[in-house]
């Protein structure tokens, strides 16, 4: 048995001002065959990571292709996408004949000339491997689950948890189902329900925590192979953007349809109740400052300026408000400003300087913030953890402005691991208030520290107030932009 695996992934925010070029993949994740680290998967390379171990256990030959991932931003350039795609297709062609293909993709990648990069990859892979080869795909739930890709793959599995702490167990399931399909033990058949909506579904809070358990409760018996709830990625103006329910049964289409409709309708019934309150930043700050922080810092998340959703992470609204109000013992992290970090490294820890911070990428970044700063600490070439994965944050610098510490980085990234502070000798638990530029993934490492967590609205292309996005191409009606937007079984 011969199986090929590769990865090509990013999450494209079509409203982001930041272009994505080859360089952004090469400086984030670009492992050529055999180069992938043995000890940890990246966000979208878990199929390779898992299949390596399973190949030895289950006696198949694994052929490794390249793995590419770039930090979410605006559309990938056409030349970068086609270069990576064709590199992988060339490796796949050289590996023929194949019984199976395992692809780690994100699912919301848009490139110049391509609204559905994953559908395009699958179309070309299918043309090379033929109809009998079993193609399995692992996707982030923040994807556009197009009819094209569901039609071309044999089985697609999405992470269930948000924060995505289950990338490895979902890849294990994918490898298991692909192997069973190759051996003729099962025949996966898809059912797809379009919920007609977009929303935010953090699984660290209800009703989403229970819904994850509910999805799992149907899997593995009575012919149900897999249930993926596709959250959708709202920051992309592409036709099939939105929340969908994907069910695979073992050749029991009518039963799969009924389950997809049932679970999809449950999501429709939860409209307006899946997201925690999205407060204006000033209101979140009022509530955070009134919080008893004896057990740990209050945390305010800034989803609108989340680098993990394609934002610049250099908006200055929250920093400006904290300093203007004279807040003590607070920190903002991470703020992307390679130039300011460079200045801090030049003068070193303990120095004082007048620094211009943030507000550089576009009008959504607000005005730069100018202040007299004390450099608290600097560190070179740092990483942060996210579950078993590790991601680069570049060089770090922490400066103090009055009672506010600002952690800045050179490699644009959202707040994931505590290393943003600990790499600088700072203790995140020692603050009264942490303002974190992230939508939800910060919860894995910072949630356990927090006395309370607030989700706030500042400014940026990953705003959760979707009415701020100028959608032209998404299918309508779509709740909450349209009040009436029914769900429907579409496959
Ligand atoms: Zn995601």
């Amino acid at each position: 048995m011969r199986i090929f695996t590769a990865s090509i992934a990013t999450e494209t925010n079509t409203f982001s001002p930041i272009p994505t070029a080859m360089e952004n993949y090469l400086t984030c994740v670009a492992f050529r065959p055999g180069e992938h680290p043995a000890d940890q998967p990246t966000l979208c390379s878990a199929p390779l990571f898992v299949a390596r171990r399973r190949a030895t256990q289950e006696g198949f030959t694994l052929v490794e292709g390249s793995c590419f991932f770039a930090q979410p931003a605006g559309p990938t350039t056409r030349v970068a996408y086609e270069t990576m795609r064709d590199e992988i297709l060339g490796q796949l062609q050289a590996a023929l004949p194949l019984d199976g293909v395992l692809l780690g993709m994100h699912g919301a990648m848009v490139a110049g000339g391509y609204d559905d990069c994953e559908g395009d990859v699958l179309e070309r892979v299918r043309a090379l491997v033929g109809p009998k080869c079993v193609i399995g795909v692992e996707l982030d739930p923040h994807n556009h689950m197009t009819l094209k890709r569901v039609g071309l793959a044999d089985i697609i599995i999405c992470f269930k948890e948000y924060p995505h702490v289950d990338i490895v167990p979902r890849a294990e399931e994918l490898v298991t189902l692909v192997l069973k399909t190759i051996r003729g033990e099962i025949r996966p058949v898809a059912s797809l329900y379009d919920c007609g909506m977009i929303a935010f579904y953090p699984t660290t809070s209800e009703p989403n925590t229970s819904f994850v358990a509910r999805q799992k409760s149907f899997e593995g018996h009575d012919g149900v192979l897999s249930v993926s709830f596709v959250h959708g990625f709202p920051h992309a103006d592409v036709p099939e953007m939105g929340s969908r329910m994907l069910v695979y049964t073992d050749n029991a289409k009518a039963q799969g349809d009924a389950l997809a409709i049932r679970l999809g309708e449950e999501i429709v019934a939860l409209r307006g109740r899946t997201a925690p309150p999205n407060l204006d930043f000033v209101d979140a700050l009022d509530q955070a400052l009134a919080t008893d922080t004896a057990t740990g810092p209050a945390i305010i998340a800034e989803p609108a300026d989340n680098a993990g959703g394609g934002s610049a992470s250099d908006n200055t609204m929250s920093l400006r408000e904290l300093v203007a109000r004279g807040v003590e013992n607070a920190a903002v992290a991470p703020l992307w400003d390679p130039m300011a970090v460079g200045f801090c490294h030049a003068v070193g820890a303990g120095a004082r300087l007048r620094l211009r911070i943030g507000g550089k990428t576009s009008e959504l970044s607000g005005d730069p913030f100018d202040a007299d700063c004390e450099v608290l600490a600097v560190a070179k070439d740092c990483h942060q953890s996210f579950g078993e994965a590790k991601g680069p944050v570049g060089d770090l610098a922490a400066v103090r402005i009055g009672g506010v510490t600002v952690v800045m980085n050179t490699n644009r990234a959202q707040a994931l691991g505590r290393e943003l502070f600990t790499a600088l000798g700072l203790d995140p638990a020692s603050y009264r208030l942490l303002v974190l530029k992230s939508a939800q993934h910060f919860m894995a490492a910072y949630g356990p520290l927090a006395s309370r967590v607030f989700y706030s609205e500042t400014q940026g292309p990953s705003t959760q107030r979707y009415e701020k996005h100028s959608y032209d191409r998404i299918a309508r009606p779509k709740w909450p932009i349209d009040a009436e937007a029914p769900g429907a079984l579409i496959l």
Side-chain angles (χ1 to χ4, degrees):
M1 191 190 294
R2 290 172 59 78
I3 295 181
F4 175 84
T5 184
S7 194
I8 177 167
T10 192
E11 181 180 69
T12 301
N13 182 324
T14 64
F15 303 105
S16 172
I18 305 169
T20 305
M22 198 65 208
E23 182 68 15
N24 302 96
Y25 292 85
L26 297 177
T27 55
C28 192
V29 170
F31 299 122
R32 270 35 195 249
E35 290 178 3
H36 195 287
D39 57 340
Q40 50 176 321
T42 65
L43 182 69
C44 296
S45 64
L48 180 149
F49 176 77
V50 166
R52 262 188 191 167
R53 190 176 62 245
R54 299 283 290 273
T56 324
Q57 287 170 4
E58 310 207 26
F60 62 86
T61 301
L62 184 70
V63 183
E64 292 185 12
S66 298
C67 294
F68 297 106
F69 179 82
Q71 185 65 233
T76 293
T77 63
R78 183 178 196 121
V79 64
Y81 168 62
E82 291 179 348
T83 301
M84 293 182 288
R85 178 197 70 191
D86 293 350
E87 178 176 318
I88 289 170
L89 292 173
Q91 295 160 345
L92 179 136
Q93 191 156 25
L96 294 173
L98 290 164
D99 303 287
V101 175
L102 295 165
L103 295 170
M105 300 199 278
H106 180 285
M109 181 178 187
V110 177
Y114 300 91
D115 277 344
D116 178 10
C117 291
E118 292 80 2
D120 178 61
V121 168
L122 284 167
E123 187 170 40
R124 290 163 195 274
V125 167
R126 180 58 81 193
L128 287 170
V129 299
K132 288 208 177 107
C133 178
V134 178
I135 302 178
V137 185
E138 187 179 30
L139 296 181
D140 186 296
H142 298 111
N143 76 69
H144 317 299
M145 190 61 80
T146 64
L147 282 165
K148 179 177 180 178
R149 64 181 74 161
V150 177
L152 286 159
D154 291 278
I155 187 147
I156 301 176
I157 290 182
C158 300
F159 319 145
K160 287 184 170 64
E161 300 287 352
Y162 182 32
H164 306 322
V165 293
D166 62 334
I167 57 176
V168 171
R170 298 291 85 80
E172 294 279 6
E173 291 167 5
L174 181 73
V175 173
T176 298
L177 292 177
V178 164
L179 290 174
K180 283 187 171 185
T181 310
I182 292 171
R183 291 174 184 142
E185 295 165 18
I186 54 170
R187 190 171 155 231
V189 173
S191 299
L192 186 64
Y193 179 91
D194 184 340
C195 302
M197 61 190 282
I198 45 174
F200 180 61
Y201 310 94
T203 61
T204 45
S205 58
E206 293 294 359
N208 311 307
T209 311
S210 294
F211 194 78
V212 171
R214 183 151 174 75
Q215 281 172 265
K216 289 179 178 173
S217 74
F218 291 98
E219 294 178 328
H221 54 89
D222 299 326
V224 178
L225 301 174
S226 171
V227 178
S228 285
F229 172 42
V230 180
H231 296 198
F233 183 64
H235 314 299
D237 193 16
V238 293
E240 291 188 70
M241 186 277 281
S243 303
R244 292 181 168 183
M245 192 68 61
L246 177 63
V247 172
Y248 285 93
T249 55
D250 185 5
N251 199 22
K253 176 69 176 153
Q255 184 195 348
D257 289 354
L259 184 58
I261 291 169
R262 179 174 163 193
L263 293 176
E265 286 180 346
E266 288 180 17
I267 294 295
V268 171
L270 289 172
R271 283 180 186 176
R273 290 191 280 142
T274 63
N278 179 257
L279 307 167
D280 286 342
F281 183 78
V282 289
D283 296 333
L285 184 55
D286 286 341
Q287 293 190 33
L289 294 176
T291 297
D292 176 359
T293 56
T295 58
I299 291 179
I300 302 177
E302 264 195 73
D305 195 25
N306 168 27
S311 293
S313 196
D314 72 342
N315 185 282
T316 51
M317 181 192 284
S318 56
L319 171 61
R320 193 180 305 279
E321 186 68 20
L322 292 176
V323 173
R325 287 172 61 165
V327 175
E328 290 292 329
N329 201 18
V332 180
L335 199 144
W336 181 48
D337 194 333
M339 187 182 283
V341 172
F343 289 176
C344 293
H345 277 254
V347 297
R352 302 192 68 91
L353 78 171
R354 181 87 183 160
L355 199 61
R356 170 161 282 199
I357 297 172
K360 294 185 173 69
T361 308
S362 79
E363 66 269 38
L364 293 173
S365 300
D367 291 328
F369 187 68
D370 296 285
D372 294 319
C373 299
E374 176 193 354
V375 180
L376 292 177
V378 294
K380 285 250 179 232
D381 197 19
C382 299
H383 290 74
Q384 60 177 346
S385 304
F386 183 63
E388 292 180 60
K390 257 190 168 50
V393 292
D395 297 343
L396 295 175
V399 299
R400 184 155 54 204
I401 306 162
V404 181
T405 296
V406 188
V407 174
M408 297 176 290
N409 57 337
T410 57
N411 199 328
R412 195 173 55 88
Q414 68 177 303
L416 294 176
R418 296 180 195 173
E419 296 96 328
L420 285 175
F421 291 88
T422 57
L424 292 160
L426 304 172
D427 176 9
S430 70
Y431 293 92
R432 177 185 176 203
L433 170 65
L434 296 175
V435 176
L436 299 177
K437 290 182 181 282
S438 174
Q440 170 65 6
H441 285 329
F442 70 94
M443 281 297 283
Y446 291 91
L449 297 179
S451 51
R452 272 195 75 184
V453 175
F454 303 90
Y455 295 82
S456 75
E457 173 69 5
T458 53
Q459 191 182 22
S462 47
T463 176
Q464 289 184 344
R465 299 188 183 175
Y466 307 129
E467 69 277 8
K468 289 184 179 177
H469 284 325
S470 50
Y471 297 112
D472 290 323
R473 303 180 55 229
I474 61 169
R476 304 282 290 270
K478 184 97 57 205
W479 185 89
I481 302 159
D482 302 298
E484 296 292 321
L489 188 77
I490 56 172
L491 178 70

